[in-house]
């Protein structure tokens, strides 16, 4: 190779390196604008579930959506704005309407028609909670006339359980907090949702217990508004890194998230 050719090759490599180094921040900046167009990542949360947001004894918030949202905002180099709702169905609607940028929720086919999902973050069991001294000791005791099953209004449970139980009555609750009070007034006999939420409820209800077994799994994933799919590759890398680094385990521990299993990738 001639001296001129070597100089030309070196110049080309240098130009490529400069372009590559400029492209990475530009790409990251573009993804930040795509995921957080307002300049801050608007994270939808609802209190009472470790999959979203709970507070510890010192009053510090933790939760899957809360902590992952904060970590993603840090990586994007933007602020984080936590937007509170009563229940997850309201958050999904807000994401669909472009009013919220991020949450973590069950990636059902129905919700996938409204928002876009990352790869699964983790899976959690679905179960039933009964109050102290309840005559319901097993799942087979549930489907009887007069039994009232509480579910969160707008939830997957509300859509799924009517087909499963033909004799029991499904009773929607405005929120998990309201459901605990409904137990006390005898308005529901048991509550059906994911087990992390049931464990949180049982902590407030002495003697309450979660029935053995489960009636399915929720596949928790990051939800973002439709139209932002160009950022999904970044979100999937983010999820993989949180899983492999042990950060996700720490988040679960801090939130007291019980009833979770590793996410499966089909």
């Amino acid at each position: 190779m001639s001296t001129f050719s070597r100089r030309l090759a070196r110049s080309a490599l240098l130009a490529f390196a400069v372009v590559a180094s400029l492209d990475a921040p530009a790409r990251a900046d573009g993804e930040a604008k795509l995921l957080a167009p307002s300049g801050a990542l608007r994270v939808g949360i609802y209190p009472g579930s470790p999959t979203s947001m709970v507070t510890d004894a010192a009053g510090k918030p933790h939760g899957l959506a809360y902590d992952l949202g904060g970590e993603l905002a840090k990586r994007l180099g933007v602020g984080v704005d936590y937007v509170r709702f009563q229940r997850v169905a309201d958050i999904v609607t807000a994401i669909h309407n472009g009013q919220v940028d991020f949450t973590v929720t069950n990636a059902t086919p129905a919700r996938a028609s409204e928002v876009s999902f990352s790869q699964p973050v983790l899976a959690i069991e679905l179960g039933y909670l009964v109050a102290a001294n309840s005559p319901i000791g097993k799942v087979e005791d549930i489907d009887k006339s007069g039994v009232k099953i509480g579910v969160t209004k707008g939830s997957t449970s509300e859509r799924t359980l009517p087909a499963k139980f033909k004799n029991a009555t499904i009773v929607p609750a405005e929120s998990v907090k309201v459901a605990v009070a409904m137990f006390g007034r005898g308005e529901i006999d048991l509550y059906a949702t994911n087990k992390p939420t049931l464990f949180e409820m049982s902590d407030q209800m002495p003697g309450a217990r979660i029935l053995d077994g489960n009636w399915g799994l929720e596949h928790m994933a990051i939800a973002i508004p439709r139209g932002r799919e160009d950022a999904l590759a970044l979100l999937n890398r983010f999820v993989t890194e949180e899983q492999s680094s042990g950060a996700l385990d720490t988040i679960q521990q801090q939130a007291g998230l019980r009833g979770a299993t590793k996410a499966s990738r089909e």
Side-chain angles (χ1 to χ4, degrees):
M1 182 183 289
S2 67
T3 301
F4 175 77
S5 296
R6 283 197 296 271
R7 285 176 180 172
L8 187 62
R10 280 199 299 271
S11 297
L13 285 172
L14 180 61
F16 176 80
V18 170
V19 169
S21 65
L22 290 174
D23 182 55
R27 191 164 56 247
D29 184 58
E31 288 165 332
K33 288 179 180 176
L34 185 60
L35 288 169
S38 68
L41 187 70
R42 298 168 297 177
V43 177
I45 54 170
Y46 67 98
S49 173
T51 60
S52 189
M53 193 275 289
V54 292
T55 52
D56 62 20
K60 185 176 180 180
H62 295 288
L64 199 60
Y66 186 95
D67 289 318
L68 284 178
E71 182 59 30
L72 179 62
K74 190 186 305 180
R75 294 198 187 191
L76 293 173
V78 299
V80 59
D81 180 14
Y82 292 105
V83 187
R84 294 195 179 206
F85 296 83
Q86 270 204 312
R87 52 185 177 262
V88 69
D90 297 334
I91 301 176
V92 173
T93 298
I95 292 177
H96 175 71
N97 294 336
Q99 299 163 338
V100 169
D101 305 310
F102 175 105
T103 199
V104 178
T105 188
N106 184 19
T108 64
R111 287 177 181 164
S113 68
E114 298 185 65
V115 301
S116 291
F117 284 107
S118 71
Q119 68 186 38
V121 176
L122 54 78
I124 55 178
E125 292 185 328
L126 294 161
Y128 306 101
L129 176 74
V130 296
N133 304 317
S134 172
I136 299 172
K138 55 187 184 300
V139 173
E140 289 74 18
D141 298 331
I142 296 175
D143 197 17
K144 296 178 181 178
S145 178
V147 173
K148 301 180 289 293
I149 306 172
V151 295
T152 306
K153 186 176 180 180
S155 67
T156 304
S157 304
E158 185 181 19
R159 291 191 297 271
T160 303
L161 293 183
K164 186 177 182 67
F165 297 109
K166 302 298 185 182
N167 300 304
T169 302
I170 306 299
V171 182
E174 286 295 327
S175 67
V176 171
K177 182 178 180 180
V178 170
V180 172
M182 290 171 72
F183 267 112
R185 296 191 296 266
E187 295 173 3
I188 55 175
D189 300 301
L190 68 155
Y191 203 75
T193 188
N194 64 68
K195 286 191 177 180
T197 301
L198 296 181
F199 278 114
E200 288 295 312
M201 295 174 70
S202 68
D203 290 343
Q204 305 169 54
M205 299 169 55
R209 65 188 189 280
I210 296 171
L211 300 183
D212 290 339
N214 68 71
W215 56 277
L217 293 174
E218 286 189 346
H219 301 281
M220 308 298 290
I222 293 171
I224 61 173
R226 294 184 70 82
R228 301 184 188 180
E229 287 76 18
D230 285 351
L232 285 178
L234 177 146
L235 288 180
N236 289 337
R237 289 196 304 272
F238 170 69
V239 169
T240 298
E241 289 166 8
E242 292 293 293
Q243 292 167 331
S244 60
S245 69
L248 183 61
D249 293 333
T250 300
I251 289 172
Q252 292 180 67
Q253 291 165 8
Q254 290 177 334
L257 196 157
R258 294 158 282 183
T261 62
K262 289 183 184 273
S264 62
R265 296 179 194 171
E266 299 179 3

